Amino acid sequence: GENVEQHPSTLSVQEGDSAVIKCTYSDSASNYFPWYKQELGKRPQLIIDIRSNVGEKKDQRIAVTLNKTAKHFSLHITETQPEDSAVYFCAARGVDSNYQLIWGAGTKLIIKP
Amino acid sequence: SQTIHQWPATLVQPVGSPLSLECTVEGTSNPNLYWYRQAAGRGLQLLFYSVGIGQISSEVPQNLSASRPQDRQFILSSKKLLLSDSGFYLCAWSEGRSNQPQHFGDGTRLSIL
């Protein structure tokens, strides 16, 4: 079945710098890739998503890129701020997973002041 | 707009006791509904999902069960809780159409003593 690997597990960046989190997936038929942010003790919240018919999507300081050939997608956060500190999860939906989301293990992003 | 309600927020139960967690969605019809469990510091584990009333798919064999007695109501149950059932339980919904994001409730933090 579908497998999603997420790296790194922990990422520490200086405030104002950029952060990049990468995910790879195994099902070449996967066609939907959301990213969620989860603050401590809170629910995951969708921050951006991308479908397989586009290669990049931006929303202010956040962008996601998709490389279907290599089967990986990445979350880019620019000009990081303290409130970006959280755990970020990627996910992929494809045929192998019976159209359910398969989740990455999460990345803890720490923004150093 | 759509909203999802999940209760209780916190629950402490003894081993061997029953469980009932409820989730309701407002502002949409025929949503897909999901139950996830998240262990402390870990990722999201899909437990059950439902694409319609009375239709439940189980992802992980366990002593939990789910029911969908009404279109926008999803219930997670157990007859006898185990210590390993402790965790953060999240209900989510998505539009019935394909490739739509999932939206999470605030979660129930379940502690088994």
Side-chain angles (χ1 to χ4, degrees):
Chain A
E2 172 77 284
N3 184 48
V4 175
E5 294 189 358
Q6 183 171 348
H7 299 281
S9 57
T10 305
L11 178 61
S12 184
V13 301
Q14 204 70 38
E15 182 179 350
D17 288 350
S18 296
V20 181
I21 302 170
K22 298 181 180 179
C23 288
T24 60
Y25 60 97
S26 58
D27 180 5
S28 57
S30 292
N31 54 12
Y32 177 65
F33 309 90
W35 284 91
Y36 285 79
K37 175 184 180 182
Q38 186 178 29
E39 297 177 358
L40 189 61
K42 302 287 185 64
R43 62 181 169 176
Q45 292 192 295
L46 179 74
I47 54 172
I48 197 166
D49 58 5
I50 192 167
R51 292 169 176 79
S52 58
N53 57 342
V54 297
E56 185 176 5
K57 183 176 178 180
K58 287 184 178 179
D59 183 3
Q60 299 182 337
R61 296 186 298 109
I62 293 173
V64 56
T65 58
L66 172 65
N67 184 327
K68 288 189 291 183
T69 303
K71 291 189 285 186
H72 67 70
F73 56 112
S74 300
L75 177 71
H76 305 254
I77 306 174
T78 59
E79 300 173 17
T80 53
Q81 300 169 4
E83 53 265 36
D84 294 329
S85 293
V87 177
Y88 291 80
F89 292 98
C90 66
R93 176 182 291 145
V95 174
D96 281 359
S97 59
N98 197 24
Y99 300 101
Q100 298 309 309
L101 286 177
I102 302 301
W103 296 82
T107 296
K108 183 175 183 179
L109 177 61
I110 301 166
I111 307 300
K112 296 180 291 186
Chain B
S1 64
Q2 301 89 356
T3 56
I4 179 168
H5 303 279
Q6 188 179 343
W7 66 93
T10 307
L11 191 59
V12 180
Q13 293 283 98
V15 170
S17 64
L19 173 74
S20 180
L21 301 180
E22 189 165 343
C23 172
T24 59
V25 181
E26 296 177 357
T28 187
S29 296
N30 197 32
N32 293 338
L33 297 172
Y34 310 85
W35 278 111
Y36 287 90
R37 177 169 61 200
Q38 187 176 34
R42 304 296 294 274
L44 296 165
Q45 180 188 31
L46 179 64
L47 301 175
F48 300 95
Y49 67 93
S50 171
V51 298
I53 295 175
Q55 301 178 60
I56 309 294
S57 296
S58 174
E59 291 296 301
V60 182
Q62 60 226 327
N63 67 321
L64 299 172
S65 62
S67 62
R68 184 170 178 174
Q70 300 180 45
D71 180 45
R72 291 168 290 173
Q73 183 185 29
F74 206 22
I75 298 171
L76 182 69
S77 304
S78 174
K79 292 181 179 178
K80 283 180 120 177
L81 287 167
L82 306 173
L83 280 174
S84 57
D85 290 324
S86 291
F88 190 40
Y89 287 80
L90 290 154
C91 181
W93 74 273
S94 68
E95 295 283 359
R97 298 173 290 131
S98 63
N99 292 342
Q100 297 299 310
Q102 294 181 13
H103 306 279
F104 289 85
D106 288 331
T108 294
R109 194 160 303 282
L110 176 64
S111 298
I112 309 300
L113 302 179

